[in-house]
Amino acid sequence: MTLTDTTRATENEERLTTLGASMRRALDGPFADAREAGRSTFPAADLLRDPAADIEQSRQWTLDRLLFLNANGLGSVGVPAGANAVSDPLSAVMTFELHAHGDLSVTIKSGVQFGLFGGAVTNLGTAWHHETYLPDITSMRLLGGFAMTELGHGSDVASIETTITYLPDTQEFEVNSPSPSAAKAYIGNAARDGHMAAVFGQLYVGGVCQGVHTILVPLRSDDGDVLPNVSIGDQGHKGGLLGVDNGTILFDHVRVPRRMLLDRYGGVDEQGNYQSAIDNPNRRFFTMLGTLVRGRVCIAAGGGIAARRALSIATRYSLKRRQFPEAGRQGGVLLLDYLVHQRRLLPRIARSYALGFAQNELTEMLVHIQGGGEHTEVDQRELESRAAGLKAVTTRFANETVQEAREACGGAGYLSENRLTDLRSDVDVFATFEGDNTVLMQLVTKSLLSDYKRAWGELDRSGVVRETGRVVSETMMERTAASIMLDKLAASARRRPEESSLTDSSWHALMFEERERHSLESLARRFKAASQSKGDSFEKFNALGDHVQFVARAHMERVALEAFVAGIAACKDADARQVLKTLCTLFALGSIDTDRAWFLEHNRISGSNAKAIGGTLNDLCRTLRPNALALVEGMGIPEQWLRAAILED
Amino acid sequence: MTLTDTTRATENEERLTTLGASMRRALDGPFADAREAGRSTFPAADLLRDPAADIEQSRQWTLDRLLFLNANGLGSVGVPAGANAVSDPLSAVMTFELHAHGDLSVTIKSGVQFGLFGGAVTNLGTAWHHETYLPDITSMRLLGGFAMTELGHGSDVASIETTITYLPDTQEFEVNSPSPSAAKAYIGNAARDGHMAAVFGQLYVGGVCQGVHTILVPLRSDDGDVLPNVSIGDQGHKGGLLGVDNGTILFDHVRVPRRMLLDRYGGVDEQGNYQSAIDNPNRRFFTMLGTLVRGRVCIAAGGGIAARRALSIATRYSLKRRQFPEAGRQGGVLLLDYLVHQRRLLPRIARSYALGFAQNELTEMLVHIQGGGEHTEVDQRELESRAAGLKAVTTRFANETVQEAREACGGAGYLSENRLTDLRSDVDVFATFEGDNTVLMQLVTKSLLSDYKRAWGELDRSGVVRETGRVVSETMMERTAASIMLDKLAASARRRPEESSLTDSSWHALMFEERERHSLESLARRFKAASQSKGDSFEKFNALGDHVQFVARAHMERVALEAFVAGIAACKDADARQVLKTLCTLFALGSIDTDRAWFLEHNRISGSNAKAIGGTLNDLCRTLRPNALALVEGMGIPEQWLRAAILED
């Protein structure tokens, strides 16, 4: 089935205010053309699933919708279709984003099929795998799962129990789940549709464990029957994403031919010897996982779009809905004229822009590195850390924001026809899959600390303190154009002895840098002290847990501000730039407000200035209020795609 | 159908640690016997709905379950069964609480039928209504709705459009919905089961509007057909509570006999004259609404129990689940041994206790006032304000907490079989119904300010400041035994010039009182200044919106601490008392931590002390960690009622 142009036209026609159109171009940034093309051609007629559909109906609808999108060139985009085709990470991410404007089960099923299963074959496999499987994967003739997580091992991939044992006599691998906790769990495409899985397990060759590797294992016959020695469990009803058929998989000594091992980073030759270009098993493990970074980039993007959809619904509603009579306000006061309502929505819109600009930068990094651009291992690690952090920050924001939007729409927000509750249910698990957010934030800080350690070597404590300024700004904050811009801003604030105005962007830059720098430096000192002290080593580092989370958050806030500042600089339209500046001020001051206790405790702000922040945030909301519609349009979700009954008529 | 004792036994048998049992007795407080009796007899066999059930199955199951509970003496408890029976508010609240341990659709349907519909007949009706309808309401032969909210008027009941017009010629009332926005909306029991509704509308007698009154209007015939001139819409799928049949109702000049008006506070005599014992229409309106306060008390209780259920699941899981290997920790580290995990769960458990103690006090106030105890109008208003505030604070806490628990259980938390996602979906709307939380917090502050105004009369600004101490402590904080205890604590801290230890309970009391006192006092001054200044009067007060929310929160935090301190004093068991003290410290210091910027800005704490709070919270979590199971048992949810698959085996 393909789509006629007439259907498309009605769903894709948009009338925007001039300012809204400029805001959107600014936020779309380097991807403005690609995103605009997507919005104008996406088949939006059957965008969302019936909220009352049961599990089986949801799964079938989701599969059908994905088949339809794929047939219309919006599924496997960017995934190479065979050995000689090339990856196109930009198109892959743009397509994922576009999917996220619609039903999130479709989005995630697409991510499982093309991003994870297809991605594993592409990135961990070699020519034979590409030739043999990619054509069927991209055409969806072969649906597959990504079987990494185990019941007993959610965040701890290195500890998975599944074994992949080489049998030299038959040149086969035996895949086995040695215990119930080794069951693969939460695997999309497992419960119903998948015929194969990329299975992660500990590779044993000649009795020696070579660490985690990935192997393709058939799950079902052509008729759809589960194959012998494979046991599949249906994980049934979930908190959301009902269209994704998550299941468990257990392998009972399942044999597959030798070439099914995805052997790009390590394999077994015909003589039965383990071969890898990477000697260090730890480095090999992280290299393999590192190729899968696109999943996190996509989930961050999807979370950000979910938040924008929710904010679009709640803000548009607040521009229609009146409540409580007031002299001179026909029909009552518009919800968005209440300051408390502005404070619920506008700072979140500001944050949506900030995270959106950061997402653009992340996508650029990904496209550069996975699109064949020159890069070092440090760049790759920076990409991974950035993806982990932005995924955690954005999905947390998405969950809180969809809920706030739901409540801001009152009882209407609770009706499924207004789309917020399903969005909330679906985006919930974004906080958990592709990495638990708490664990991801630890990864961010760990990466910052290892930069720190490497750069500082053996400097003693006083040396550390003295060198802080130089090292943090030059080594730890990667030298992008955006970071240079932020540094310059901060430097200009640093030169002025007196405290600046609360709305001064250079003061914001300084505060953001100081928050990151100081918290990281003090954490590094505490780590060093802990490592030199006596006592239970787990408990010593465990005690720093909340500090670790704070540093990651401070880092990501700085990343977001940096991206916002760069996004403003790149904006060509003067009116939009002016509004973006106010929006950035609201974001920055809101972030400082959240941590204003920290700034007070560290003498970065006076009590009287801190007290004035609330009033300044109110002023900023009042300033932005007249542009609310344009701010929403700028977030890039076509109004008619929101499909919320409260916005109709 | 009635229940055999054998079924009950297996579901109601509990084995608790000694400390857990003592903690539970303490938190059950004055209602320990009633709650224990409830837990030991509640028919828990069929406690929760199948998460995969569709709307129709959910509604049928919910109705059947409620019929079953009612037949077993656990439905209409406390609602008088006729004109000569008496209300028993204590039993009514205890029964609602017990329901909230199970499926929340059943709980809410019960609340609609007995609390709202039955409550309106009981509290707003007179002998004829009681005689005629209460027997059928309590037996569930007559199911009814509570038709207050209109599509166009959610939080603004005074502005509802439905008219109730007296027709002297036929001694009838004509009930009419003059516009689409007058449609009654979100009405439970409307879409499917209800045969009658208590309908709120503007009463017109002889062309004069007498304000909002309530009238009984039949909706369906005995056969279940919707009656002529009544239009009912099914609001279909919702974000949760699928078992409750919410719908819209429109009336097209529907006529009912004169006596159907619930005329306790105002009615029309045989001569067609309006009669009311309350002359002031405003006072009459608030008197009528005031009788319905029990709904908010119950929703607060239900929200608190939902949070406890979620924390029970997540904490019990964290005592089983291990992740990441660590020397000396067989099978990996227990989740609850991670400090970041402790910080996610233990402070919320502490807050659950605080809110639970506050709920006990609120229930005592309700039982006193509605159970025939001597009271003034001020007491009634205090009850309403307290109910509004605790409903808002507890339901917000519930939503955040169930989500935190969901995430703390990782992917398992997202499976419906682990019960957190349905709990989250169901409790979501608790933030909105029975009063939007933001609006309720405004009510709390408004009530505090009107006390303020009344007490201070015409004192000028300097007078206000000078008198603050006396007035706030003696007038605005009602003189309960609990508040006297808190005052004494605070006074002892005030006498000491040097800053106390962060764990000192008298210092906590002082900080909580200062936060409320100072924020309220400064708000009062800003209100006075606004009322005397020029400019748009809406905007002047609108600008204080965030301050208004802060004051209400500060007030409710103080109420919770006060209740916690009193609860500890009432605890007879020395071990439990000791643990409760630590738990209270964690609650109090956590609350101060949340607002530590405020305390810094107002010079109530030094920067170095503020900085030390995080570490002290960590220490408190570590201290409480060994008692985690007892803390959970104390929250009062029997383990086998949690029904979470991850806790089984």
Side-chain angles (χ1 to χ4, degrees):
Chain A
M1 184 165 57
T2 54
L3 195 78
T4 64
D5 280 332
T6 20
T7 329
R8 229 167 237 171
T10 54
E11 296 293 342
N12 299 50
E13 205 176 283
E14 249 190 303
R15 259 175 264 170
L16 299 180
T17 63
T18 313
L19 179 61
S22 305
M23 296 289 287
R24 185 181 289 187
R25 250 189 318 278
L27 182 56
D28 281 345
F31 310 113
D33 292 345
R35 286 176 175 149
E36 199 44 51
R39 276 189 290 259
S40 65
T41 56
F42 190 63
D46 195 21
L47 198 64
L48 300 174
R49 195 166 40 88
D50 173 6
D54 66 21
I55 296 182
E56 181 53 28
Q57 291 164 339
S58 297
R59 288 176 177 180
Q60 188 61 46
W61 182 89
T62 300
L63 177 59
D64 289 344
R65 170 82 180 155
L66 187 57
L67 284 163
F68 169 78
L69 288 174
N70 200 42
N72 279 274
L74 281 161
S76 61
V77 190
V79 182
N84 298 317
V86 286
S87 270
D88 176 1
L90 175 60
S91 299
V93 175
M94 291 296 114
T95 305
F96 187 95
E97 286 188 358
L98 206 48
H99 284 184
H101 288 67
D103 184 86
L104 291 180
S105 286
V106 175
T107 314
I108 296 308
K109 196 170 180 88
S110 169
V112 168
Q113 170 69 10
F114 304 117
L116 295 175
F117 178 55
V121 173
T122 306
N123 296 312
L124 303 178
T126 47
W128 180 81
H129 307 103
H130 298 165
E131 266 162 38
T132 312
Y133 295 113
L134 286 178
D136 286 349
I137 291 173
T138 52
S139 69
M140 294 180 67
R141 278 188 302 273
L142 174 64
L143 297 179
F146 181 79
M148 182 158 79
T149 299
E150 296 181 356
L151 264 190
H153 314 279
S155 294
D156 183 14
V157 179
S159 296
I160 56 174
E161 295 169 63
T162 300
T163 54
I164 305 170
T165 308
Y166 188 62
L167 309 175
D169 293 350
T170 57
Q171 299 220 350
E172 289 176 307
F173 286 103
E174 190 181 79
V175 180
N176 191 48
S177 314
S179 77
S181 62
K184 297 297 177 182
Y186 319 113
I187 311 303
N189 267 345
R192 181 183 186 270
D193 295 330
H195 281 240
M196 186 175 274
V199 178
F200 287 69
Q202 308 288 351
L203 178 67
Y204 284 87
V205 183
V208 178
C209 181
Q210 300 290 351
V212 173
H213 286 66
T214 312
I215 190 163
L216 295 174
V217 184
L219 299 179
R220 287 182 171 87
S221 70
D222 290 346
D223 301 335
D225 299 326
V226 175
L227 294 172
N229 301 327
V230 175
S231 307
I232 291 186
D234 190 329
Q235 293 187 291
H237 201 275
K238 307 190 299 292
L241 297 180
L242 283 198
V244 183
D245 55 329
N246 296 89
T248 57
I249 315 174
L250 276 163
F251 302 99
D252 181 11
H253 302 88
V254 173
R255 290 189 176 199
V256 292
R258 185 174 61 91
R259 59 186 179 183
M260 298 296 269
L261 190 77
L262 297 174
D263 59 351
R264 177 163 168 200
Y265 296 105
V268 177
D269 64 18
E270 286 185 29
Q271 286 69 46
N273 299 312
Y274 180 74
Q275 303 284 359
S276 171
I278 308 175
D279 287 339
N280 182 323
N282 205 35
R283 215 179 122 225
R284 195 189 307 137
F285 175 66
F286 285 110
T287 302
M288 289 188 200
L289 292 191
T291 63
L292 306 170
V293 66
R294 201 170 74 209
R296 284 183 187 157
V297 174
C298 286
I299 294 304
I305 290 164
R308 294 187 203 181
R309 285 168 61 182
L311 285 169
S312 298
I313 293 170
T315 308
R316 286 179 184 275
Y317 180 61
S318 75
L319 291 168
K320 290 182 65 169
R321 171 78 171 179
R322 295 177 181 275
Q323 200 75 168
F324 291 106
E326 190 70 42
R329 283 161 174 88
Q330 182 71 31
V333 181
L334 266 183
L335 286 195
L336 198 59
D337 285 335
Y338 289 104
L339 186 71
V340 285
H341 214 78
Q342 291 170 21
R343 285 289 296 268
R344 292 169 86 169
L345 298 178
L346 298 179
R348 291 178 186 278
I349 291 178
R351 194 170 184 80
S352 268
Y353 276 78
L355 295 174
F357 285 118
Q359 185 74 35
N360 288 349
E361 287 191 353
L362 177 64
T363 302
E364 285 186 299
M365 289 166 78
L366 176 83
V367 168
H368 175 78
I369 289 177
Q370 293 202 341
E374 224 174 274
H375 67 277
T376 64
E377 206 175 307
V378 172
D379 296 331
Q380 166 70 28
R381 217 193 39 227
E382 169 63 25
L383 168 66
E384 290 166 24
S385 164
R386 181 71 68 93
L390 202 59
K391 185 272 186 190
V393 167
T394 305
T395 59
R396 168 151 308 171
F397 172 69
N399 270 305
E400 291 169 358
T401 297
V402 183
Q403 181 62 22
E404 189 73 48
R406 197 304 280 155
E407 293 181 29
C409 293
Y414 198 57
L415 300 180
S416 301
E417 65 177 22
N418 292 318
R419 304 298 182 179
L420 291 163
T421 50
D422 269 11
L423 198 55
R424 179 68 187 67
S425 300
D426 289 344
V427 86
D428 178 354
V429 78
F430 282 42
T432 298
F433 64 21
E434 286 287 335
D436 172 90
N437 281 354
T438 303
V439 176
L440 292 183
M441 292 299 259
Q442 285 169 352
L443 288 186
V444 170
T445 301
K446 203 172 157 190
S447 153
L448 293 173
L449 282 171
S450 64
D451 287 345
Y452 208 84
K453 224 166 146 183
R454 192 162 36 90
W456 294 8
E458 290 305 306
L459 282 176
D460 64 11
R461 209 194 137 201
S462 62
V464 165
V465 174
R466 206 168 47 238
E467 295 291 312
T468 298
R470 197 184 57 74
V471 176
V472 171
S473 67
E474 294 180 16
T475 306
M476 311 196 24
M477 300 183 183
E478 69 297 347
R479 309 275 66 209
T480 62
S483 71
I484 292 168
M485 215 175 300
L486 200 75
D487 280 355
K488 276 191 185 162
L489 269 174
S492 78
R494 200 175 276 118
R495 278 191 300 272
R496 270 174 283 135
E498 76 283 13
E499 215 163 43
S500 310
S501 135
L502 290 175
T503 55
D504 181 73
S505 61
S506 61
W507 178 70
H508 298 156
L510 180 63
M511 289 301 100
F512 276 59
E513 290 201 351
E514 289 289 296
R515 175 172 52 183
E516 176 177 5
R517 184 196 315 276
H518 186 280
S519 64
L520 177 57
E521 181 213 315
S522 63
L523 180 65
R525 265 189 274 122
R526 292 180 70 190
F527 258 101
K528 196 167 182 185
S531 64
Q532 290 166 348
S533 74
K534 292 204 179 73
D536 184 276
S537 92
F538 169 74
E539 286 303 343
K540 285 190 300 183
F541 292 103
N542 193 28
L544 306 178
D546 52 340
H547 198 154
V548 166
Q549 295 289 316
F550 185 87
V551 167
R553 199 164 59 72
H555 174 72
M556 292 311 301
E557 290 295 290
R558 198 262 302 158
V559 162
L561 179 62
E562 199 171 278
F564 207 146
V565 168
I568 293 171
C571 173
K572 302 271 183 289
D573 181 273
D575 292 340
R577 202 164 53 237
Q578 197 49 47
V579 175
L580 286 172
K581 277 185 184 170
T582 311
L583 209 54
C584 184
T585 306
L586 180 57
F587 161 68
L589 195 59
S591 174
I592 292 170
D593 183 49
T594 303
D595 287 331
R596 70 188 206 280
W598 188 93
F599 290 104
L600 283 159
E601 286 157 7
H602 294 82
N603 299 314
R604 297 306 200 278
I605 187 172
S606 70
S608 62
N609 265 13
K611 266 190 197 173
I613 290 179
T616 308
L617 291 172
N618 286 345
D619 292 342
L620 290 163
C621 285
R622 264 188 293 261
T623 306
L624 288 165
R625 162 69 187 85
N627 294 319
L629 178 62
L631 300 183
V632 166
E633 290 173 339
M635 290 194 292
I637 318 291
E639 183 181 7
Q640 65 273 33
W641 293 10
L642 296 173
R643 299 287 202 274
I646 35 170
L647 300 181
E648 277 154 31
D649 70 69
Chain B
M1 183 166 56
T2 55
L3 196 78
T4 64
D5 280 331
T6 20
T7 327
R8 228 166 237 172
T10 53
E11 295 294 342
N12 299 50
E13 205 177 284
E14 250 191 301
R15 259 176 264 169
L16 300 180
T17 64
T18 313
L19 179 61
S22 305
M23 296 289 286
R24 185 180 287 187
R25 248 189 320 276
L27 183 56
D28 281 345
F31 310 112
D33 292 345
R35 286 176 175 148
E36 199 45 51
R39 277 188 290 260
S40 65
T41 57
F42 190 63
D46 194 20
L47 198 63
L48 299 174
R49 194 166 41 88
D50 174 6
D54 66 21
I55 295 182
E56 181 52 29
Q57 290 163 340
S58 298
R59 288 176 175 179
Q60 189 60 47
W61 182 90
T62 300
L63 177 60
D64 290 344
R65 171 82 179 155
L66 187 57
L67 284 164
F68 168 79
L69 289 174
N70 200 41
N72 279 274
L74 281 161
S76 60
V77 190
V79 182
N84 298 317
V86 287
S87 271
D88 175 3
L90 175 60
S91 299
V93 175
M94 291 297 113
T95 305
F96 187 95
E97 286 188 359
L98 205 49
H99 284 184
H101 288 68
D103 183 84
L104 291 181
S105 285
V106 175
T107 314
I108 296 306
K109 197 170 180 87
S110 169
V112 167
Q113 170 68 12
F114 304 117
L116 295 175
F117 178 55
V121 172
T122 306
N123 297 311
L124 303 179
T126 46
W128 180 81
H129 307 104
H130 298 165
E131 267 163 36
T132 312
Y133 295 112
L134 286 177
D136 286 350
I137 291 173
T138 51
S139 68
M140 291 180 70
R141 278 188 302 273
L142 174 64
L143 297 179
F146 181 80
M148 181 157 79
T149 298
E150 297 182 357
L151 265 191
H153 314 278
S155 294
D156 183 13
V157 179
S159 296
I160 56 172
E161 296 170 63
T162 299
T163 54
I164 305 171
T165 307
Y166 187 61
L167 309 176
D169 293 350
T170 57
Q171 298 221 353
E172 288 175 309
F173 286 103
E174 191 182 78
V175 180
N176 191 47
S177 315
S179 76
S181 62
K184 297 297 177 183
Y186 318 114
I187 311 303
N189 267 346
R192 181 183 187 269
D193 295 331
H195 280 241
M196 186 175 273
V199 178
F200 287 68
Q202 308 288 348
L203 178 67
Y204 283 87
V205 184
V208 178
C209 181
Q210 299 291 351
V212 173
H213 286 66
T214 312
I215 190 164
L216 295 175
V217 184
L219 299 179
R220 287 183 172 86
S221 70
D222 290 347
D223 300 336
D225 299 324
V226 176
L227 293 173
N229 300 326
V230 175
S231 308
I232 291 186
D234 190 329
Q235 294 188 291
H237 201 276
K238 307 189 300 292
L241 298 180
L242 282 199
V244 182
D245 55 330
N246 295 90
T248 56
I249 316 175
L250 276 163
F251 302 99
D252 181 9
H253 302 88
V254 172
R255 291 188 176 197
V256 292
R258 185 173 61 91
R259 60 187 181 185
M260 298 297 270
L261 189 77
L262 298 173
D263 59 351
R264 177 163 168 200
Y265 295 104
V268 176
D269 64 19
E270 287 185 28
Q271 286 70 45
N273 300 311
Y274 180 74
Q275 303 285 0
S276 171
I278 307 176
D279 287 338
N280 183 322
N282 205 37
R283 215 179 123 225
R284 194 190 306 137
F285 175 66
F286 285 109
T287 302
M288 289 188 201
L289 292 191
T291 63
L292 306 169
V293 66
R294 201 170 75 209
R296 285 186 185 153
V297 174
C298 286
I299 294 304
I305 290 164
R308 295 188 203 179
R309 286 166 62 183
L311 286 169
S312 299
I313 293 170
T315 309
R316 286 179 183 276
Y317 180 61
S318 75
L319 291 168
K320 290 182 66 170
R321 172 78 172 180
R322 296 177 180 275
Q323 199 74 170
F324 291 106
E326 191 69 43
R329 284 161 175 88
Q330 183 71 31
V333 180
L334 266 183
L335 287 196
L336 198 58
D337 284 336
Y338 289 105
L339 185 70
V340 285
H341 214 78
Q342 291 170 20
R343 286 289 294 269
R344 293 170 85 169
L345 298 178
L346 298 179
R348 290 176 185 279
I349 290 177
R351 193 169 184 80
S352 269
Y353 275 78
L355 295 174
F357 285 117
Q359 186 73 36
N360 288 349
E361 287 192 354
L362 177 63
T363 302
E364 286 186 299
M365 288 166 77
L366 176 84
V367 168
H368 176 76
I369 289 177
Q370 293 202 340
E374 223 175 279
H375 67 278
T376 65
E377 206 174 306
V378 173
D379 295 332
Q380 167 71 26
R381 220 194 38 229
E382 170 63 26
L383 168 65
E384 289 166 25
S385 165
R386 182 71 68 93
L390 201 59
K391 184 274 185 188
V393 168
T394 305
T395 58
R396 168 151 308 169
F397 173 69
N399 270 304
E400 291 169 359
T401 297
V402 182
Q403 182 61 24
E404 190 72 50
R406 197 304 280 156
E407 293 182 29
C409 294
Y414 198 57
L415 301 180
S416 301
E417 65 179 22
N418 293 317
R419 305 297 181 180
L420 291 164
T421 50
D422 269 11
L423 199 54
R424 179 69 186 67
S425 300
D426 288 344
V427 86
D428 178 352
V429 77
F430 283 42
T432 298
F433 65 20
E434 287 286 334
D436 172 88
N437 281 353
T438 303
V439 175
L440 292 183
M441 293 300 259
Q442 286 168 353
L443 287 185
V444 171
T445 302
K446 205 173 155 188
S447 151
L448 293 172
L449 281 171
S450 63
D451 288 346
Y452 208 83
K453 225 165 144 184
R454 194 160 35 89
W456 293 8
E458 289 306 304
L459 281 177
D460 64 10
R461 212 195 135 201
S462 61
V464 166
V465 174
R466 206 170 46 238
E467 294 291 312
T468 299
R470 196 186 56 76
V471 176
V472 171
S473 66
E474 295 182 14
T475 306
M476 310 195 25
M477 300 183 183
E478 69 296 348
R479 308 276 64 210
T480 62
S483 71
I484 292 169
M485 214 177 297
L486 200 74
D487 280 355
K488 276 193 184 158
L489 269 175
S492 79
R494 200 176 276 116
R495 278 192 299 273
R496 269 172 284 136
E498 76 283 13
E499 215 163 44
S500 310
S501 135
L502 290 175
T503 55
D504 181 73
S505 61
S506 61
W507 177 71
H508 298 156
L510 180 61
M511 289 300 100
F512 275 59
E513 290 201 352
E514 289 289 296
R515 175 170 53 181
E516 176 178 6
R517 185 198 314 276
H518 186 280
S519 63
L520 178 57
E521 180 212 315
S522 63
L523 180 66
R525 265 189 274 122
R526 292 180 70 189
F527 257 100
K528 196 169 181 184
S531 64
Q532 291 166 348
S533 73
K534 293 203 180 73
D536 183 277
S537 91
F538 169 73
E539 285 304 343
K540 285 190 301 184
F541 292 103
N542 194 28
L544 306 178
D546 53 339
H547 198 154
V548 166
Q549 295 289 316
F550 185 88
V551 167
R553 200 164 59 72
H555 173 72
M556 292 311 302
E557 291 294 291
R558 197 261 302 158
V559 162
L561 179 61
E562 200 171 278
F564 207 146
V565 168
I568 294 171
C571 174
K572 303 269 183 292
D573 182 272
D575 291 340
R577 203 164 52 237
Q578 196 50 48
V579 176
L580 285 172
K581 277 184 183 170
T582 310
L583 208 53
C584 184
T585 306
L586 179 58
F587 161 69
L589 195 59
S591 174
I592 292 170
D593 183 48
T594 303
D595 286 331
R596 70 189 206 280
W598 189 94
F599 289 103
L600 283 160
E601 287 157 7
H602 295 82
N603 299 312
R604 297 305 199 279
I605 186 171
S606 70
S608 62
N609 265 14
K611 266 190 198 172
I613 290 179
T616 309
L617 291 173
N618 286 346
D619 292 341
L620 289 163
C621 286
R622 265 189 292 262
T623 306
L624 288 165
R625 163 67 187 86
N627 293 319
L629 179 62
L631 299 183
V632 167
E633 291 173 337
M635 289 194 292
I637 318 290
E639 183 180 8
Q640 66 273 33
W641 293 11
L642 296 173
R643 300 284 201 274
I646 35 171
L647 300 181
E648 277 153 30
D649 74 69

